[in-house]
Amino acid sequence: MAEERIKRKNLWSRLGNIKKQQEWLKAAERLNLIVAGGGGKGSHWAIRNSDYPINDIRSLVATIPANLYKQANQNVFKQLLADGIPEDKIWQALGLL
């Protein structure tokens, strides 16, 4: 099923090209979100909204797994959208727009 919230379908299909956790973490920083966690090899990182304290569950926007693939990237993208971040800002942060 196609994702109805996505306007730029040509970019949506390119999310499978994101292979490194670091790409999402840098994009999160460009979006003024907090990057927390990680530290060990193969660990997950959290992207958090600074509107809430870091220990508040409401601050969690997305979890970035160590191993990325198209569906995982699409899920992260949807979580950022659900947090109220405009689609074009996410594409810009990823360097795709």
Side-chain angles (χ1 to χ4, degrees):
M1 176 192 271
E3 175 57 49
E4 299 298 324
R5 296 178 292 176
I6 306 301
K7 304 295 182 233
R8 298 184 183 270
K9 302 291 187 194
N10 60 323
L11 295 176
W12 180 250
S13 64
R14 292 177 50 197
L15 282 176
N17 295 339
I18 298 173
K19 303 291 185 194
K20 296 182 180 178
Q21 229 179 19
Q22 197 62 26
E23 293 177 70
W24 277 115
L25 301 179
K26 285 182 181 180
E29 290 173 348
R30 290 181 189 123
L31 293 167
N32 296 316
L33 297 170
I34 298 170
V35 174
K41 183 176 180 181
S43 60
H44 289 51
W45 284 74
I47 296 175
R48 297 189 173 275
N49 186 324
S50 61
D51 291 344
Y52 301 100
I54 199 163
N55 61 349
D56 188 332
I57 189 66
R58 295 175 296 173
S59 74
L60 182 62
V61 176
T63 301
I64 310 301
N67 299 316
L68 294 172
Y69 50 94
K70 187 174 183 175
Q71 187 176 11
N73 290 326
Q74 289 175 342
N75 287 336
V76 171
F77 196 96
K78 289 178 196 178
Q79 290 169 321
L80 292 171
L81 283 177
D83 198 57
I85 300 169
E87 177 183 353
D88 282 350
K89 284 194 173 201
I90 301 170
W91 292 127
Q92 289 170 348
L94 287 169
L96 295 175
L97 184 63

